[in-house]
Amino acid sequence: MTRSAGTTLRLNMPQWQGGNDPGYHFGSQLLQWLAPAPGGPVETVPVPLPEPGETLAVENGVVARAALLEQARAARRAIEKHKPDRIITLGGDCLVDLAPMAYLNLRYAGKLGVLWVDAHPDVMSPKDYAHAHAHVLGALLGKGDADFSREVERPIAPSRVMYAGLDAWMPVEAAVIDGLGLRHAGSASLADSSKPVMDWIAEEGITHVAVHFDLDVLDPARFRPLLFNKPALPPGAFEGVPRGRMTLEQVVRLLGDVAASCDVVGLAIAEHMPWDTLELRDALARLPLLAPR
Amino acid sequence: MTRSAGTTLRLNMPQWQGGNDPGYHFGSQLLQWLAPAPGGPVETVPVPLPEPGETLAVENGVVARAALLEQARAARRAIEKHKPDRIITLGGDCLVDLAPMAYLNLRYAGKLGVLWVDAHPDVMSPKDYAHAHAHVLGALLGKGDADFSREVERPIAPSRVMYAGLDAWMPVEAAVIDGLGLRHAGSASLADSSKPVMDWIAEEGITHVAVHFDLDVLDPARFRPLLFNKPALPPGAFEGVPRGRMTLEQVVRLLGDVAASCDVVGLAIAEHMPWDTLELRDALARLPLLAPR
């Protein structure tokens, strides 16, 4: 599909408080370095790193609620400054997509299609889990915590949402998925074919789609820079939390097929956790000759 | 130890032909991004990436012999431009240390101590192996291939060389190690103590030391961006090639102890192979919105 002209905003958002791990901040910086050079305006949402020894507080059921809301509003202000036709968001934790998707659904008159490429449904509520990176799609659908849903003037229509790479979920998530009738395609059905997603696009008549690409959809045994590969994890950590099973190559193919049939107006990359690279950076800064004096 | 004043040259050297894998070029670029900002002059040795489909030829027993020699000479010219007191080299494959160490041994009147932190001895010859990254210490000792040894006006004295983290080697390497009486300390002896290296420094009266830090000395099960973790390796690949067993923390401690007792005048970081990050970079460049048009 030929893309129409217009402005593409590059939004750098090193938010880490939504997953309560500063590694997401570094992950965003590295993504910015890795990504092809921007072809339009660039905005970077200010996100402070923790002070030494600082820990985040749970605020009415959500870790760092006030900081997260302020960052979502700062992202929205940055977007409104340019009123772009398309947004590339480089996160940061999954919550980075709150302002971009909320804006894009207004921009495309409530008809935005949302392809959520993720091993997790991100529709939990504060009563289920205190980390808001697991709440973001719920907020975009107008569900969940009122503070976050309020940032979404026009909720995404459930029929315009599809999950890709989602193989398992928890009962509290099933209630939302089944209650709203959200479509989903597991990793096996997308291993060699994009058909489940192409069917959704055709059946719903989607012309403009925003993609949320949580790197956690990738198999952590094959792709290391993911939360699940945190070094020195105690046994049983993340027990019961589904792992992704896709490959980067499969995601590239899927998104290429999507782009061939409709206009991709949003792309967020989230949850990049480059443990080895972070460890190397910190080690280099402590070596003779390299250590800052 | 208080470091005397003087110039520290930062030498970026994305050489990959010595290991015949362009991944080393990217590894060097990422190292440059990760390392603390330089406090003095910076030089970058020009190293071309392969043309699409290009493969390197074996030239008289060494893959890319002419290109490697030209890069060593370009590094030497860059060094001589500044005549630094100290050199930080960010590789690239292990051969990047040829010009820096050769210069430093002249600069310090043939008394340079060389601490070779590596799982491999790097003293092979073209008759044993065609990849020159496994020849570099041999050349610095005045052994091995004449073209490469010729770049070393004053060979390092064997008593001034010590290996750290070297646990195993091949018979052809044993002949050199035993023949020259090169000291070595395995990973177990350095796990909790730097004593074997401190003893060498004391006994030899070493005042100026250059460190070669081949990241392959690290345990590939704990640190992923290493040659041994190449994706989709056939079974039995690298069979018989020893893996490193150290941790980054142990190397940081060892080099800190060394720096406390003598002047570290050289530091090269080599063999950085960030497979996951490279795969992610290539994938980003193929995604909708991000792909360069």
Side-chain angles (χ1 to χ4, degrees), chain B residues 84-87 99-109 112 210 265-266:
Chain B
D85 303 287
R86 298 175 185 78
I87 305 174
M101 292 250 185
Y103 166 85
L104 288 169
N105 196 37
L106 275 184
R107 168 74 181 75
Y108 294 100
L112 184 71
V265 295

Side-chain angles (χ1 to χ4, degrees), chain B residues 107-127:
Chain B
R107 168 74 181 75
Y108 294 100
K111 301 192 169 213
L112 184 71
V114 168
L115 182 63
W116 206 263
V117 185
D118 201 329
H120 311 113
D122 293 355
V123 292
M124 288 213 256
S125 298
K127 65 178 168 20

Side-chain angles (χ1 to χ4, degrees), chain A residues 3-4 6 8 10 26 29-31 33-37 86-88 90 213 215 218 220-225 247-249 251-253 255-256 259 263-267 269 272 274 276-293, chain B residues 3-4 6 8 10 26 29-31 33-37 86-88 90 213 215 218 220-225 247-249 251-253 255-256 259 263-267 269 272 274 276-293:
Chain A
R3 208 184 300 160
S4 48
T8 299
R10 178 75 61 96
F26 177 71
Q29 292 179 302
L30 181 52
L31 267 187
W33 183 76
L34 290 173
R86 298 175 185 78
I87 306 174
I88 297 168
L90 301 181
F213 178 13
L215 293 170
L218 302 174
R222 296 180 56 154
F223 185 77
R224 178 92 148 206
T247 67
L248 261 177
E249 195 56 40
V251 174
V252 168
R253 185 214 66 224
L255 301 193
D263 197 349
V264 176
V265 295
L267 173 65
I269 317 279
H272 185 216
D276 294 303
T277 310
L278 183 54
E279 193 187 357
L280 182 58
R281 182 199 68 173
D282 291 348
L284 291 175
R286 295 166 60 208
L287 289 183
L289 289 189
L290 277 170
R293 274 183 282 180
Chain B
R3 211 183 299 160
S4 50
T8 300
R10 178 76 62 95
F26 177 71
Q29 292 179 304
L30 182 51
L31 267 187
W33 183 76
L34 290 172
R86 298 175 185 78
I87 305 174
I88 297 169
L90 301 181
F213 179 12
L215 293 169
L218 303 174
R222 296 181 57 155
F223 186 78
R224 178 94 146 204
T247 68
L248 261 177
E249 196 55 38
V251 174
V252 168
R253 186 214 66 226
L255 300 193
D263 197 350
V264 177
V265 295
L267 174 64
I269 319 279
H272 185 217
D276 294 303
T277 310
L278 183 55
E279 192 186 356
L280 181 58
R281 182 199 69 174
D282 291 348
L284 291 175
R286 294 165 61 207
L287 289 182
L289 290 190
L290 278 170
R293 274 183 282 182

Side-chain angles (χ1 to χ4, degrees), chain B residues 76-149:
Chain B
R76 184 61 180 266
R77 288 192 297 273
I79 294 168
E80 295 291 349
K81 211 159 84 183
H82 301 278
K83 300 197 182 304
D85 303 287
R86 298 175 185 78
I87 305 174
I88 297 169
T89 307
L90 301 181
D93 65 67
C94 273
L95 189 65
V96 298
D97 228 349
L98 185 62
M101 292 250 185
Y103 166 85
L104 288 169
N105 196 37
L106 275 184
R107 168 74 181 75
Y108 294 100
K111 301 192 169 213
L112 184 71
V114 168
L115 182 63
W116 206 263
V117 185
D118 201 329
H120 311 113
D122 293 355
V123 292
M124 288 213 256
S125 298
K127 65 178 168 20
D128 312 314
Y129 190 58
H131 292 175
H133 66 162
H135 305 169
V136 53
L137 183 53
L140 287 163
L141 286 157
K143 306 287 169 191
D145 186 272
D147 278 348
F148 290 89
S149 299

